[in-house]
Amino acid sequence: MANHQIQAESLTLGYDDHIIIDELNLEVPKGEITVLVGANGCGKSTLLKSMARLLKPSTGAVLLDGKDIAKTPSKEVAQNLALLPQSVMAPEGLTVYQLVKQGRYPHQSWMKKWSKEDEDIVENALTLTKMQDLRDRSIDELSGGQRQRAWIAMTLAQDTDVILLDEPTTYLDMTHQIDILDLLFDLNQQEGRTIIMVLHDLNLACRYAHNIVAIKNGDVYVNGKPEDVITCENVHTVFQMHCQVSQDPIFGTPLCIPHGKGRCLFKQQLEGNFNAVK
Ligand SMILES: Nc1ncnc2c1ncn2[C@@H]1O[C@H](COP(=O)(O)OP(=O)(O)O)[C@@H](O)[C@H]1O
Ligand SMILES: [Mg+2]
């Protein structure tokens, strides 16, 4: 893989006059997994859309290998960078296979028609996402999780060096969440693809990400290794939530345990801890 560098430079984004992202600077490390986190509505999807050239900045720019993507033809951007948006709708009646095939669109032209290579890439995307058996099913007849996997397959069929995914695991059961994150991890480790995704589960984010970027008030609040970013103080500032940060017993990565109510078996001990942090 070519390993493209993606960067936001003094990026300001908004809808009408309402500013959501305000002069944000971010350099995404090449060939690594970067996870964006932040409270609902803080602008994560807005930022990803602009990185995929779907939203024009008010000021500043998104640079792909130093070149402003707003000045690059959309098809050229799509050959290097794929986005799986947060909520997407497929046209009625479209089958899984037809959807995944759409991923090859940026690589087609009147000179370059559908080829054996395109076919192989589509088959591979269906295999990787375990969607072969559902290939002829209509998208609108699938469960939320199956549909999500079909869209992920389409994104993979685009066969780009940079892959952006907005909450790719949100509708999936635990097994399929891990399956998809493992698949993205393999694509990163084996092929060096750059992956930028939004995840809500901080513990899975810590396990899979090389870098975590926390967004707050339209800007990067903190950016770095999960071990440095996911601390009680940062989680409290970014999410307004008290938590305890421990160590994942299997992976050694940060494990964020939120405070709150629940059927507590160590009630007295925990109340003592809660009072100590508040
Ligand atoms: N198409 C749109 N038009 C107007 N406002 C929008 C649009 N999309 C998102 N917003 C607003 O922008 C803010 C950031 O949204 P979003 O980027 O979706 O947040 P996140 O993905 O972090 O939850 C929210 O206040 C949301 O209501
Ligand atoms: Mg979002």
Side-chain angles (χ1 to χ4, degrees):
M1 282 276 151
N3 253 326
H4 297 286
Q5 172 80 57
I6 186 156
Q7 197 177 339
E9 201 174 65
S10 199
L11 187 66
T12 300
L13 305 168
Y15 302 97
D16 302 319
D17 285 340
H18 191 46
I19 291 177
I20 308 292
I21 295 290
D22 196 4
E23 297 196 9
L24 175 145
N25 289 295
L26 179 66
E27 202 166 311
V28 179
K30 287 194 226 187
E32 294 195 349
I33 299 179
T34 297
V35 171
L36 303 180
V37 302
N40 289 140
C42 73
K44 303 175 297 294
S45 297
T46 301
L47 179 59
L48 274 197
K49 276 189 271 179
S50 85
M51 284 180 164
R53 202 188 179 278
L54 298 179
L55 188 68
K56 205 168 169 261
S58 317
T59 60
V62 173
L63 308 177
L64 188 64
D65 297 329
K67 200 170 146 194
D68 186 348
I69 62 167
K71 297 182 180 129
T72 312
S74 58
K75 209 164 175 176
E76 191 182 320
V77 173
Q79 287 168 359
N80 297 315
L81 184 153
L83 168 69
L84 173 68
Q86 185 170 359
S87 44
V88 272
M89 297 276 284
E92 221 180 299
L94 197 76
T95 66
V96 169
Y97 177 73
Q98 288 166 335
L99 176 75
V100 178
K101 213 175 151 184
Q102 296 287 312
R104 298 304 300 151
Y105 170 75
H107 302 278
Q108 313 273 283
S109 69
W110 64 272
M111 275 167 52
K112 193 172 172 295
K113 296 279 185 286
W114 188 255
S115 67
K116 171 80 170 54
E117 191 198 0
D118 293 312
E119 193 64 50
D120 289 348
I121 291 172
V122 166
E123 289 304 322
N124 190 39
L126 288 167
T127 308
L128 289 173
T129 50
K130 302 196 169 96
M131 289 301 284
Q132 309 100 309
D133 293 347
L134 297 169
R135 58 190 299 138
D136 295 322
R137 291 271 295 275
S138 168
I139 300 287
D140 34 47
E141 288 167 6
L142 300 177
S143 75
Q146 292 167 336
R147 196 174 304 154
Q148 183 71 332
R149 273 155 52 216
W151 281 100
I152 291 172
M154 190 198 86
T155 311
L156 298 183
Q158 211 173 314
D159 196 29
T160 54
D161 176 38
V162 182
I163 307 175
L164 313 177
L165 306 107
D166 200 347
E167 299 193 26
T169 54
T170 292
Y171 297 104
L172 306 182
D173 64 38
M174 212 187 286
T175 313
H176 285 110
Q177 284 185 41
I178 298 295
D179 269 359
I180 290 299
L181 292 171
D182 280 355
L183 164 62
L184 296 170
F185 191 74
D186 285 345
L187 288 173
N188 166 261
Q189 297 287 297
Q190 292 162 16
E191 303 177 13
R193 299 196 203 217
T194 303
I195 293 172
I196 307 167
M197 60 182 159
V198 175
L199 291 179
H200 278 301
D201 187 323
L202 295 180
N203 298 332
L204 288 179
C206 287
R207 197 160 127 186
Y208 287 91
H210 299 103
N211 322 290
I212 294 186
V213 178
I215 310 283
K216 186 182 164 65
N217 295 337
D219 205 351
V220 173
Y221 175 71
V222 55
N223 174 9
K225 287 194 199 121
E227 294 73 22
D228 299 327
V229 171
I230 301 304
T231 62
C232 293
E233 293 75 18
N234 287 341
V235 170
H236 186 247
T237 309
V238 174
F239 294 99
Q240 314 286 290
M241 178 188 79
H242 288 291
C243 73
Q244 198 160 320
V245 176
S246 168
Q247 200 178 47
D248 185 305
I250 306 177
F251 291 84
T253 46
L255 188 68
C256 173
I257 304 163
H259 288 188
K261 293 184 180 166
R263 204 182 51 82
C264 184
L265 305 183
F266 316 112
K267 209 155 185 164
Q268 278 177 339
Q269 184 186 331
L270 203 65
E271 273 167 3
N273 283 344
F274 277 25
N275 291 336
V277 294
K278 274 182 186 161

PDB file of all heavy atoms in Angstrom, residues 15 20 39-46 49 86, ligand 1:
ATOM      1  N   TYR A  15     -22.397  24.036   9.746  1.00  0.00           N
ATOM      2  CA  TYR A  15     -23.588  23.952   8.914  1.00  0.00           C
ATOM      3  C   TYR A  15     -24.237  25.331   8.968  1.00  0.00           C
ATOM      4  O   TYR A  15     -24.497  25.837  10.062  1.00  0.00           O
ATOM      5  CB  TYR A  15     -24.522  22.870   9.452  1.00  0.00           C
ATOM      6  CG  TYR A  15     -23.855  21.508   9.506  1.00  0.00           C
ATOM      7  CD1 TYR A  15     -23.294  21.023  10.692  1.00  0.00           C
ATOM      8  CD2 TYR A  15     -23.750  20.711   8.359  1.00  0.00           C
ATOM      9  CE1 TYR A  15     -22.676  19.776  10.733  1.00  0.00           C
ATOM     10  CE2 TYR A  15     -23.127  19.463   8.400  1.00  0.00           C
ATOM     11  CZ  TYR A  15     -22.600  19.007   9.595  1.00  0.00           C
ATOM     12  OH  TYR A  15     -21.977  17.777   9.641  1.00  0.00           O
ATOM     13  N   ILE A  20     -18.989  24.047  14.020  1.00  0.00           N
ATOM     14  CA  ILE A  20     -18.911  22.797  14.796  1.00  0.00           C
ATOM     15  C   ILE A  20     -17.451  22.474  15.122  1.00  0.00           C
ATOM     16  O   ILE A  20     -17.118  22.117  16.249  1.00  0.00           O
ATOM     17  CB  ILE A  20     -19.530  21.611  13.997  1.00  0.00           C
ATOM     18  CG1 ILE A  20     -20.944  21.929  13.497  1.00  0.00           C
ATOM     19  CG2 ILE A  20     -19.498  20.320  14.810  1.00  0.00           C
ATOM     20  CD1 ILE A  20     -21.992  22.060  14.558  1.00  0.00           C
ATOM     21  N   ALA A  39     -18.042  13.220  23.069  1.00  0.00           N
ATOM     22  CA  ALA A  39     -19.463  13.150  23.414  1.00  0.00           C
ATOM     23  C   ALA A  39     -20.335  13.234  22.168  1.00  0.00           C
ATOM     24  O   ALA A  39     -19.896  13.738  21.129  1.00  0.00           O
ATOM     25  CB  ALA A  39     -19.801  14.294  24.367  1.00  0.00           C
ATOM     26  N   ASN A  40     -21.561  12.785  22.251  1.00  0.00           N
ATOM     27  CA  ASN A  40     -22.519  12.901  21.151  1.00  0.00           C
ATOM     28  C   ASN A  40     -22.611  14.350  20.707  1.00  0.00           C
ATOM     29  O   ASN A  40     -22.687  15.246  21.537  1.00  0.00           O
ATOM     30  CB  ASN A  40     -23.931  12.483  21.601  1.00  0.00           C
ATOM     31  CG  ASN A  40     -24.057  10.984  21.835  1.00  0.00           C
ATOM     32  OD1 ASN A  40     -24.695  10.562  22.777  1.00  0.00           O
ATOM     33  ND2 ASN A  40     -23.456  10.205  20.991  1.00  0.00           N
ATOM     34  N   GLY A  41     -22.579  14.557  19.422  1.00  0.00           N
ATOM     35  CA  GLY A  41     -22.769  15.898  18.877  1.00  0.00           C
ATOM     36  C   GLY A  41     -21.531  16.774  18.903  1.00  0.00           C
ATOM     37  O   GLY A  41     -21.594  17.954  18.563  1.00  0.00           O
ATOM     38  N   CYS A  42     -20.370  16.232  19.277  1.00  0.00           N
ATOM     39  CA  CYS A  42     -19.164  17.077  19.378  1.00  0.00           C
ATOM     40  C   CYS A  42     -18.530  17.337  18.002  1.00  0.00           C
ATOM     41  O   CYS A  42     -17.648  18.183  17.878  1.00  0.00           O
ATOM     42  CB  CYS A  42     -18.145  16.478  20.333  1.00  0.00           C
ATOM     43  SG  CYS A  42     -17.305  15.042  19.673  1.00  0.00           S
ATOM     44  N   GLY A  43     -18.952  16.589  16.981  1.00  0.00           N
ATOM     45  CA  GLY A  43     -18.449  16.873  15.631  1.00  0.00           C
ATOM     46  C   GLY A  43     -17.578  15.789  15.012  1.00  0.00           C
ATOM     47  O   GLY A  43     -16.911  16.033  14.013  1.00  0.00           O
ATOM     48  N   LYS A  44     -17.621  14.573  15.559  1.00  0.00           N
ATOM     49  CA  LYS A  44     -16.792  13.486  15.027  1.00  0.00           C
ATOM     50  C   LYS A  44     -17.199  13.137  13.586  1.00  0.00           C
ATOM     51  O   LYS A  44     -16.346  13.017  12.705  1.00  0.00           O
ATOM     52  CB  LYS A  44     -16.906  12.224  15.912  1.00  0.00           C
ATOM     53  CG  LYS A  44     -16.531  12.455  17.356  1.00  0.00           C
ATOM     54  CD  LYS A  44     -16.763  11.233  18.215  1.00  0.00           C
ATOM     55  CE  LYS A  44     -18.200  10.758  18.347  1.00  0.00           C
ATOM     56  NZ  LYS A  44     -19.110  11.676  19.051  1.00  0.00           N
ATOM     57  N   SER A  45     -18.508  12.982  13.374  1.00  0.00           N
ATOM     58  CA  SER A  45     -18.983  12.631  12.019  1.00  0.00           C
ATOM     59  C   SER A  45     -18.712  13.779  11.059  1.00  0.00           C
ATOM     60  O   SER A  45     -18.337  13.554   9.900  1.00  0.00           O
ATOM     61  CB  SER A  45     -20.483  12.329  12.030  1.00  0.00           C
ATOM     62  OG  SER A  45     -20.735  11.215  12.846  1.00  0.00           O
ATOM     63  N   THR A  46     -18.885  14.987  11.541  1.00  0.00           N
ATOM     64  CA  THR A  46     -18.629  16.173  10.723  1.00  0.00           C
ATOM     65  C   THR A  46     -17.170  16.170  10.255  1.00  0.00           C
ATOM     66  O   THR A  46     -16.868  16.398   9.084  1.00  0.00           O
ATOM     67  CB  THR A  46     -18.945  17.446  11.549  1.00  0.00           C
ATOM     68  OG1 THR A  46     -20.318  17.371  11.940  1.00  0.00           O
ATOM     69  CG2 THR A  46     -18.687  18.722  10.783  1.00  0.00           C
ATOM     70  N   LYS A  49     -16.566  13.363   7.672  1.00  0.00           N
ATOM     71  CA  LYS A  49     -17.151  13.719   6.367  1.00  0.00           C
ATOM     72  C   LYS A  49     -16.232  14.676   5.617  1.00  0.00           C
ATOM     73  O   LYS A  49     -16.033  14.552   4.416  1.00  0.00           O
ATOM     74  CB  LYS A  49     -18.531  14.372   6.546  1.00  0.00           C
ATOM     75  CG  LYS A  49     -19.658  13.362   6.687  1.00  0.00           C
ATOM     76  CD  LYS A  49     -21.010  14.029   6.636  1.00  0.00           C
ATOM     77  CE  LYS A  49     -21.474  14.470   7.999  1.00  0.00           C
ATOM     78  NZ  LYS A  49     -22.750  15.133   8.045  1.00  0.00           N
ATOM     79  N   GLN A  86     -21.861   7.222   9.102  1.00  0.00           N
ATOM     80  CA  GLN A  86     -22.547   6.710  10.287  1.00  0.00           C
ATOM     81  C   GLN A  86     -23.910   6.113   9.942  1.00  0.00           C
ATOM     82  O   GLN A  86     -24.250   5.043  10.397  1.00  0.00           O
ATOM     83  CB  GLN A  86     -22.710   7.853  11.297  1.00  0.00           C
ATOM     84  CG  GLN A  86     -23.303   7.395  12.605  1.00  0.00           C
ATOM     85  CD  GLN A  86     -23.225   8.470  13.673  1.00  0.00           C
ATOM     86  OE1 GLN A  86     -22.707   9.559  13.456  1.00  0.00           O
ATOM     87  NE2 GLN A  86     -23.753   8.166  14.820  1.00  0.00           N
TER      88      GLN A  86
HETATM   89  N1  LIG B   1     -26.512  18.114   8.139  1.00  0.00           N
HETATM   90  C1  LIG B   1     -26.503  18.874   9.248  1.00  0.00           C
HETATM   91  N2  LIG B   1     -27.098  20.086   9.278  1.00  0.00           N
HETATM   92  C2  LIG B   1     -27.072  20.850  10.398  1.00  0.00           C
HETATM   93  N3  LIG B   1     -26.482  20.492  11.544  1.00  0.00           N
HETATM   94  C3  LIG B   1     -25.860  19.309  11.589  1.00  0.00           C
HETATM   95  C4  LIG B   1     -25.843  18.427  10.444  1.00  0.00           C
HETATM   96  N4  LIG B   1     -25.156  17.303  10.784  1.00  0.00           N
HETATM   97  C5  LIG B   1     -24.774  17.476  12.058  1.00  0.00           C
HETATM   98  N5  LIG B   1     -25.187  18.655  12.549  1.00  0.00           N
HETATM   99  C6  LIG B   1     -24.918  19.186  13.903  1.00  0.00           C
HETATM  100  O1  LIG B   1     -23.517  19.282  14.073  1.00  0.00           O
HETATM  101  C7  LIG B   1     -23.130  18.892  15.380  1.00  0.00           C
HETATM  102  C8  LIG B   1     -22.100  17.781  15.287  1.00  0.00           C
HETATM  103  O2  LIG B   1     -22.700  16.635  14.732  1.00  0.00           O
HETATM  104  P1  LIG B   1     -21.906  15.296  14.428  1.00  0.00           P
HETATM  105  O3  LIG B   1     -20.699  15.633  13.679  1.00  0.00           O
HETATM  106  O4  LIG B   1     -22.879  14.354  13.807  1.00  0.00           O
HETATM  107  O5  LIG B   1     -21.520  14.831  15.908  1.00  0.00           O
HETATM  108  P2  LIG B   1     -20.982  13.429  16.453  1.00  0.00           P
HETATM  109  O6  LIG B   1     -20.725  12.558  15.273  1.00  0.00           O
HETATM  110  O7  LIG B   1     -19.770  13.749  17.235  1.00  0.00           O
HETATM  111  O8  LIG B   1     -22.067  12.884  17.340  1.00  0.00           O
HETATM  112  C9  LIG B   1     -24.424  18.499  16.100  1.00  0.00           C
HETATM  113  O9  LIG B   1     -24.830  19.595  16.866  1.00  0.00           O
HETATM  114  C10 LIG B   1     -25.399  18.228  14.986  1.00  0.00           C
HETATM  115  O10 LIG B   1     -26.697  18.512  15.385  1.00  0.00           O
END
